[in-house]
């Protein structure tokens, strides 16, 4: 059975922080891919394995790994929706990739700082405000005829990085689809990760 094989694979790497986190991320990705397979029975079996793996981290020699056991405690009910699961899995992904912190690559340019609106707050749900502000700074070179579609990206940090790249390349527009994090998210993680680039890149949110 796949769930038993996943449990055995995790047990083999549990004591090693890097391998342990990598296995958890891989398992979370596997769960996401099979969410609707077999009427959800495989999903529930793998979710149970995922929860048991998290609970087994209590008392781990690495404090950050040990803290992840609290996520397992919160998974009292395995009958959750996909968005809820991905939200719970996000801290694990961040721990796994924490060596690549976005804020360590911050380069502040005077023209960017002076052009930012006070507070940097967005007010229109469609992203039209960010589009108009991006095009309201006088004459601009033509944008690259490239449209990016971000379909169900759960990491606000990755979305912010894409905004920064799109600003550098002068991409025509970003479409943030599904549960992809947007600069208007209440926690502000995407806006912080974009480091102001969302003010210069036209974008829209689409349910699908």
């Amino acid at each position: 059975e796949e769930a038993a094989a996943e449990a055995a694979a995790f047990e083999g790497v549990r004591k090693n922080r890097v391998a342990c986190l990598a296995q958890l991320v891989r398992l979370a990705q596997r769960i996401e891919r099979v969410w609707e397979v077999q009427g959800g029975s495989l999903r529930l079996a793998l979710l149970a394995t995922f929860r048991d793996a998290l609970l087994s981290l209590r008392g781990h020699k690495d404090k950050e790994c040990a803290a992840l056991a609290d996520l397992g405690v919160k998974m009292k009910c395995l009958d959750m929706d996909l968005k809820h699961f991905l939200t719970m899995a996000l801290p694990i992904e961040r721990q796994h990739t924490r060596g690549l912190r976005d804020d360590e690559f911050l380069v502040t340019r005077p023209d960017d700082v002076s052009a930012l609106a006070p507070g940097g707050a967005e007010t229109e749900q469609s992203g039209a405000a960010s589009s108009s502000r991006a095009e309201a700074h006088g004459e601009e070179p033509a944008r690259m005829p490239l449209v990016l579609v971000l379909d169900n990206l759960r990491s606000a940090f990755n979305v912010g990085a894409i905004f920064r790249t799109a600003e550098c390349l002068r991409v025509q527009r970003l479409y943030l689809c599904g549960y992809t994090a947007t600069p208007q998210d209440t926690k502000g993680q995407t806006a912080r990760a974009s480091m102001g680039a969302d003010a210069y890149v036209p974008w829209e949110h689409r349910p699908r």
Side-chain angles (χ1 to χ4, degrees):
E1 186 181 350
E2 184 174 349
E6 292 287 358
F10 178 79
E11 184 58 30
V13 299
R14 190 179 67 83
K15 294 182 180 180
N16 183 297
R17 178 187 183 279
V18 175
C20 165
L21 292 173
Q23 182 68 19
L24 285 172
V25 170
R26 193 193 66 77
L27 179 54
Q29 293 170 344
R30 174 62 177 161
I31 293 171
E32 180 181 3
R33 287 195 298 270
V34 303
W35 196 261
E36 300 296 341
V37 174
Q38 299 177 11
S41 59
L42 178 57
R43 174 192 76 219
L44 292 175
L46 292 176
L47 279 172
T49 299
F50 188 75
R51 177 179 61 187
D52 292 344
L54 289 172
L55 292 173
S56 72
L57 293 177
R58 191 172 299 282
H60 196 281
K61 63 181 180 180
D62 183 272
K63 292 182 179 179
E64 292 173 342
C65 282
L68 293 177
D70 292 339
L71 293 176
V73 175
K74 294 178 181 179
M75 293 179 65
K76 295 179 180 179
C77 177
L78 298 180
D79 187 17
M80 63 184 76
D81 59 37
L82 179 58
K83 184 175 182 179
H84 181 65
F85 169 70
L86 294 176
T87 300
M88 295 192 68
L90 185 56
I92 302 170
E93 185 176 82
R94 288 178 182 163
Q95 287 291 346
H96 180 52
T97 60
R98 69 178 186 143
L100 301 176
R101 289 169 47 197
D102 287 321
D103 58 0
E104 293 179 345
F105 299 96
L106 174 61
V107 178
T108 303
R109 303 200 312 262
D111 57 329
D112 283 355
V113 175
S114 60
L116 281 174
E122 295 288 349
T123 58
E124 295 187 22
Q125 291 296 323
S126 66
S130 62
S131 299
S132 61
R133 200 164 68 221
E135 298 165 356
H137 299 287
E139 296 296 326
E140 291 187 338
R143 291 189 173 276
M144 180 185 296
L146 176 64
V147 172
L148 302 181
V149 178
L150 281 58
D151 185 32
N152 292 330
L153 296 187
R154 59 181 174 271
S155 172
F157 298 100
N158 288 343
V159 175
I162 292 173
F163 263 103
R164 299 200 309 272
T165 302
E167 192 272 332
C168 291
L169 298 177
R170 297 196 56 74
V171 167
Q172 185 174 345
R173 184 172 294 271
L174 295 183
Y175 287 99
L176 313 182
C177 302
Y179 53 74
T180 297
T182 77
Q184 296 172 346
D185 287 345
T186 55
K187 293 184 178 179
Q189 294 175 333
T190 304
R192 288 197 298 271
S194 73
M195 299 175 186
D198 60 293
Y200 301 94
V201 179
W203 65 271
E204 295 180 23
H205 179 262
R206 299 288 182 88
R208 294 180 180 274

